[in-house]
Amino acid sequence: MALEKTFAIIKPDAVNRHLIGAILSRIEQAGFRVAASKMLNLTRTQAEGFYAEHQVKAFFPDLVDYMISAPVVVLVLEKENAVKDYRALIGKTDPTEANPGTIRHDFALNYRQNAVHGSDCIESAQREIAYFFVESEIF
């Protein structure tokens, strides 16, 4: 089976609580290779563009405010079945519904401050990776 790439974000709440290392450790222990990473402060324009599909939803302004409230770590992860396996590793968006041992169950504060983002399909992963990384930054 071929290697696949997916996109991940360690969100502001997890960065503020010094969980970058713990989350990266879980990712690597699950067999993922970090192909690219960078820490950055999203601008309002970047956050609005990244979450553009949610622009008409009531939660959009709060989501953007949250995502620009502190630094984030953006990642390209690689392994076989990367998208599906990363989604399983992070758990459901609502941490109260996430399985024990998943990143969101163990580290999320609530539905919005849920520690991490993960692409939901290969097409989203490709689009999200290209949003933050140029090809020469991915190893």
Side-chain angles (χ1 to χ4, degrees):
M1 191 170 257
L3 291 177
E4 184 177 280
K5 288 182 175 64
T6 193
F7 177 75
I9 299 176
I10 300 176
K11 292 183 175 181
D13 64 285
V15 171
N16 278 340
R17 292 181 292 132
H18 309 285
L19 295 173
I20 297 169
I23 292 170
L24 286 174
S25 179
R26 294 253 187 124
I27 289 168
E28 289 186 323
Q29 287 173 7
F32 290 89
R33 185 179 77 82
V34 177
S37 68
K38 56 179 134 177
M39 186 175 209
L40 49 96
N41 283 303
L42 293 177
T43 66
R44 182 168 298 280
T45 300
Q46 283 176 312
E48 288 172 347
F50 184 77
Y51 289 106
E53 65 192 72
H54 301 299
Q55 192 169 13
V56 298
K57 298 176 182 164
F59 64 81
F60 181 73
D62 289 338
L63 174 61
V64 170
D65 287 343
Y66 161 62
M67 291 302 293
I68 66 173
S69 68
V72 299
V73 177
V74 293
L75 304 155
V76 178
L77 307 176
E78 185 178 66
K79 79 181 290 260
E80 291 182 5
N81 298 309
V83 173
K84 181 174 105 355
D85 288 358
Y86 186 65
R87 297 290 291 183
L89 177 65
I90 64 176
K92 292 189 177 188
T93 303
D94 183 344
T96 65
E97 296 176 5
N99 290 331
T102 62
I103 290 172
R104 287 178 172 154
H105 177 275
D106 295 349
F107 296 125
L109 296 174
N110 54 50
Y111 186 85
R112 173 159 301 119
Q113 295 175 310
N114 61 7
V116 291
H117 163 85
S119 300
D120 61 0
C121 65
I122 291 172
E123 295 77 18
S124 291
Q126 291 169 341
R127 182 181 69 254
E128 293 172 352
I129 289 168
Y131 193 82
F132 287 104
F133 294 94
V134 295
E135 196 61 37
S136 64
E137 294 176 309
I138 302 170
F139 299 94

